[in-house]
Amino acid sequence: MLQTVFDRPIYLNRLKKYQNSEFIKVITGVRRSGKTFVLEMFRRYLQTSGVAEAQIVFLNFESMQHQALRTAETLYRYVMERAQAGQKMYLFFDEIQRVADWEDAVNSLRVDLDADIYLSGSNSSLLSGELATLLVGRMVEIPVFPLSFQEYMQFRQFDGVPARRWWKTKKCATRFWTAFSIRFYSKM
């Protein structure tokens, strides 16, 4: 299946607003809402804005490739070994809740590095007890939702069908609800 990629400007703009701030950006949302895509989109934005690849650490902890980094100590060491002296680092940790004691690693990286930190994960695990206490006043939550109807209409244009034509058909809303509600209710 061919997957078309398009930006979600509402989330890109929210991340830009907090870029290079002291806040840890916490991307939350339901499963399959696009959290990983939003992180990757912002990484692409940084690269096109002139941030060197060596300044970016992007780790997706759903991948077995990073299983060895699933403790606070190993994650901390891994990032510190890649830190570029005198340069801001951009740290992206996708599904961070899979790392044991990750809160300690993130807090230490925040203190020990000049770093812009972005986390993603499920609402329940990222904003629960200890994190909320540890990072209170140091984080900003950016909730990500599945495609809105407007985004869906824009996405459909990539199929070569102008949104104005889709809007006029009775099938438009039906296809939107079929595509998104079945996936949502099947997870319940």
Side-chain angles (χ1 to χ4, degrees):
M1 179 172 104
L2 178 63
Q3 185 174 351
T4 304
V5 175
F6 70 100
D7 285 338
R8 298 184 73 186
I10 189 169
Y11 300 112
L12 183 60
N13 291 334
R14 286 181 187 164
L15 289 171
K16 283 180 184 179
K17 178 180 175 181
Y18 294 104
Q19 179 183 351
N20 296 325
S21 71
E22 64 194 56
F23 295 112
I24 295 171
K25 282 58 81 179
V26 180
I27 314 291
T28 60
V30 298
R31 185 163 176 72
R32 311 254 330 133
S33 61
K35 298 179 299 288
T36 300
F37 175 80
V38 168
L39 288 178
E40 291 172 348
M41 176 183 65
F42 196 68
R43 175 175 63 174
R44 284 192 312 273
Y45 163 75
L46 290 173
Q47 291 168 329
T48 60
S49 298
V51 175
E53 184 65 35
Q55 291 175 259
I56 299 172
V57 174
F58 192 104
L59 300 171
N60 182 338
F61 292 105
E62 282 190 319
S63 172
M64 291 294 288
Q65 179 180 0
H66 304 299
Q67 186 167 3
L69 301 176
R70 290 188 184 176
T71 67
E73 296 82 13
T74 57
L75 174 58
Y76 178 83
R77 278 195 305 272
Y78 179 87
V79 172
M80 292 304 286
E81 288 169 2
R82 284 154 182 75
Q84 303 293 305
Q87 295 185 338
K88 180 174 281 292
M89 295 297 295
Y90 294 87
L91 311 178
F92 294 86
F93 303 134
D94 192 19
E95 299 298 339
I96 188 70
Q97 74 276 1
R98 293 177 177 251
V99 176
D101 300 321
W102 63 269
E103 300 92 338
D104 293 332
V106 168
N107 198 41
S108 292
L109 291 166
R110 183 189 64 77
V111 169
D112 297 343
L113 280 179
D114 180 13
D116 203 12
I117 303 174
Y118 301 82
L119 310 176
S120 83
S122 68
N123 297 13
S124 60
S125 59
L126 283 183
L127 298 177
S128 63
E130 189 174 339
L131 172 65
T133 303
L134 183 65
L135 299 179
V136 68
R138 299 178 183 144
M139 60 167 260
V140 61
E141 180 187 5
I142 300 172
V144 173
F145 300 99
L147 289 179
S148 68
F149 187 69
Q150 180 180 6
E151 288 175 315
Y152 175 76
M153 295 296 289
Q154 292 168 349
F155 179 73
R156 292 303 301 177
Q157 288 186 23
F158 286 99
D159 286 345
V161 179
R164 66 183 177 278
R165 279 188 39 220
W166 270 83
W167 185 255
K168 293 179 181 180
T169 69
K170 292 180 181 179
K171 294 179 182 177
C172 180
T174 303
R175 288 185 181 182
F176 172 76
W177 288 112
T178 301
F180 294 101
S181 63
I182 289 175
R183 184 170 70 197
F184 174 74
Y185 287 113
S186 69
K187 302 293 182 199
M188 293 181 79

